[in-house]
Amino acid sequence: MPHTPTAPVILGDEPGSFPHGVLAERHPAIIRQVREAFPYEPWQQRALDALLVNCTKGGIEPLPAGAHDRARWESWGMHTYAGQSWYDVPWLWSESWFYRQLLHAVGYFDPGPWQGVDPFRPSKLAELDSSATDEELAALDALAGRPAEEQARALLHGSLWGNRADLGFRLSAEGAQETAAVPGLVADDSERLRSLLGSTGTGTLCLVADNAGRELVPDLLLVAHLLAHGHIARAVLHVKPYPYYVSDATGADVIDALRRLTGAGGAAAEYGHRLWSALSDGRLVLRAHPFSCSPLPYADMPDDLRAEFASAALTVVKGDLNYRRLVGDRYWPPTTPFADVTGYFPGPVAALRTLKSDVITGLTADTVAALDAAEAGGRWRTSGTHALVQVRT
């Protein structure tokens, strides 16, 4: 950060708050859903039951001595927070810790038949194979004959709204206009972003992905369009090295999405084949840096990751969690300039995000007042019905 942050770090210790609800209600629900998704063995069921009790009533317990990433988590604060309540440590930290402990409970990292089995894969595939996805991919056929600029605008808004379940993404020209007109955009640097994407040319775009399934598909479509029209020479797609936050995209999820595209027929299949070729010849590269699953903000990124972002013509950060990590998971005053809290980032950066947590920066005072008046209790921050596009060059 260019200055010492003064905004308080978000914790989960206040009953009735959004973070407290995630820790007390959402995490237990996730454990139950995971347990029902697979015929887990008795030892896994016992471990999941123990995690449910620990994450709601217990304290932070260090990873076993033999854990492959124990040293990494030690550097990320495991010993600092050991013994403390999950509610009393930074919310970003406790959320990330939950998913690491969940994978430990089901034996994801251990040698044996359950090694590498994604506990969230059934829900990811169900969304990817849904009829709603069929409709959205079919809409690409209508978009194919439109001018390139109109396609780019539609695909950008598809990437922005793709993780909003009640809207999805609309890729026809009419759908793009409807999405662009949604008053839920609380900050809109779309024109600046399109200008940057149009001038990247021979440079590299880094795209930090968020969710798999119906959000990852429009991200990939946008990359395919930018590559095909010469707006970028190369794209680096940053995904998670292991399952995380239920739906965050991994390398396996990228392949699933590409297979979904190539098998869909029509324009969707053309996009899929272009992306397949781009991966094969190095114009599209996958990255799964360990820091992508860390419980820390990007201000604390390691030097090798910093160097990669520094070399990119533009980095686009997708989704709510990545936004929290980009600006810092703090109760910033909403009018705090986005450029101030991202001044540490080593190159031009843009955020595409639907709002699903309390963190927000870069709004005007009038926008904040209007949102607070329309939605009592600040529900606009967490409802997923508002979004933003912010750019810092």
Side-chain angles (χ1 to χ4, degrees), residues 208-263:
V208 182
D210 187 32
N211 292 338
R214 287 174 64 198
E215 180 178 359
L216 182 59
V217 166
D219 292 345
L220 292 171
L221 296 174
L222 178 61
V223 168
H225 177 87
L226 294 173
L227 286 170
H229 290 271
H231 295 305
I232 57 175
R234 180 172 174 266
V236 179
L237 183 64
H238 286 257
V239 296
K240 301 300 188 294
Y242 52 77
Y244 189 62
Y245 275 74
V246 179
S247 57
D248 278 27
T250 66
D253 297 320
V254 174
I255 302 306
D256 285 339
L258 290 182
R259 291 191 184 280
R260 183 71 166 92
L261 285 170
T262 57

Side-chain angles (χ1 to χ4, degrees), residues 1-48:
M1 292 290 180
H3 54 79
T4 301
T6 55
V9 172
I10 296 178
L11 307 178
D13 60 346
E14 183 181 346
S17 68
F18 184 75
H20 188 278
V22 169
L23 297 175
E25 300 170 13
R26 183 180 298 176
H27 285 178
I30 290 170
I31 292 173
R32 288 190 288 269
Q33 291 167 4
V34 165
R35 183 169 176 165
E36 294 171 0
F38 287 95
Y40 284 124
E41 298 178 34
W43 65 269
Q44 293 165 305
Q45 296 178 39
R46 290 191 295 270
L48 288 169

Side-chain angles (χ1 to χ4, degrees), residues 285-362:
V285 179
L286 299 185
R287 287 281 190 272
H289 197 286
F291 191 77
S292 295
C293 288
S294 85
L296 305 176
Y298 274 106
D300 297 332
M301 75 179 89
D303 291 342
D304 62 331
L305 187 58
R306 182 178 296 275
E308 180 154 356
F309 289 143
S311 67
L314 175 67
T315 297
V316 175
V317 174
K318 281 295 309 295
D320 192 82
L321 171 63
N322 287 325
Y323 186 87
R324 291 164 57 193
R325 298 187 68 199
L326 177 66
V327 305
D329 203 35
R330 295 172 175 269
Y331 285 115
W332 297 109
T335 55
T336 303
F338 177 71
D340 284 1
V341 294
T342 57
Y344 71 90
F345 203 83
V349 63
L352 297 180
R353 173 216 185 188
T354 52
L355 278 58
K356 295 183 178 180
S357 65
D358 290 304
V359 178
I360 188 70
T361 67

Side-chain angles (χ1 to χ4, degrees), residues 139 142-143 146 150 153-155 157-158 161 167-182:
L143 187 66
R146 301 288 186 171
E150 194 171 312
R153 184 179 298 109
L155 293 169
H157 281 280
W161 290 106
L167 179 64
F169 62 97
R170 301 293 182 261
L171 297 172
S172 67
E174 294 78 13
Q177 292 166 3
E178 291 168 5
T179 304
V182 170

